[in-house]
Amino acid sequence: MHIKTQGIVLRETNYKEADKILNVLTPSGKITVSARGARRKGSRISAACQLFALSEMELFKYKDRYSVNEAEVREQFLGLRADIKKFALAAYFMELLEALANEEEDCSEALALALNSLYALDADLKPAELIKPVFELRIMALSGFEPKLDCCAVCGDVNPEGP
């Protein structure tokens, strides 16, 4: 069965001599994908199988496994690789997404959040000190851990007195 989807690579793991195992966040959930030959010189799918890459992938599903037939890069966020602080923050974002995203669950909002955050970080739209807490609050809200900020969490009073 062939599936065409767009996704961002959350994690890449080298496997065997020239293959990779990818964790990809797609609008329909997090999936594990085998990318055969992705580490070979001249591979057509190598750029699309790199960390942080937003790619249009054609996947083949056999039993419970996905493998990449074709992949085309939409965005690579190359500016993240030039600055170690940006790279570390982007890797942190991917790690949080991987921990909180589930398989076979709608992840379209999480994917949009990841792309917006990586784009803002890559293009220096806002300082990283502002992007990080916004990402964390939004991913908490999407995961069901949204903090209650409109009233006291203990008593429920809108204007509590004292600490």
Side-chain angles (χ1 to χ4, degrees), residues 58-145:
E58 184 180 311
L59 306 174
F60 178 74
K61 184 176 181 181
Y62 179 71
K63 295 185 180 176
D64 288 340
R65 296 188 169 221
Y66 291 95
S67 61
V68 178
N69 277 354
E70 294 179 21
E72 184 179 335
V73 177
R74 295 287 179 222
E75 183 67 47
Q76 282 189 306
F77 303 108
L78 294 176
L80 300 177
R81 299 173 195 278
D83 184 0
I84 190 70
K85 289 182 181 179
K86 289 181 182 181
F87 185 88
L89 187 57
Y92 170 69
F93 291 165
M94 297 301 104
E95 196 172 317
L96 279 178
L97 286 165
E98 185 177 8
L100 296 173
N102 295 320
E103 295 179 14
E104 299 178 10
E105 182 179 294
D106 181 33
C107 291
S108 55
E109 289 185 49
L111 181 62
L113 174 64
L115 293 174
N116 289 334
S117 300
L118 291 178
Y119 179 75
L121 197 59
D122 185 40
D124 285 326
L125 296 180
K126 299 283 182 188
E129 295 80 21
L130 295 177
I131 297 170
K132 182 180 182 247
V134 169
F135 179 86
E136 290 171 334
L137 277 172
R138 189 68 187 123
I139 198 71
M140 284 172 46
L142 290 174
S143 301
F145 298 107

Side-chain angles (χ1 to χ4, degrees), residues 18-62:
D19 302 342
K20 284 185 181 182
I21 304 293
L22 309 172
N23 290 352
V24 180
L25 183 68
T26 67
S28 58
K30 179 179 69 171
I31 58 174
T32 302
V33 177
S34 172
R36 298 180 139 242
R39 293 174 34 212
R40 281 198 186 105
K41 184 179 178 182
S43 172
R44 295 178 301 159
I45 63 170
S46 65
C49 296
Q50 292 182 6
L51 188 62
F52 312 136
L54 174 66
S55 305
E56 187 78 31
M57 296 181 176
E58 184 180 311
L59 306 174
F60 178 74
K61 184 176 181 181
Y62 179 71

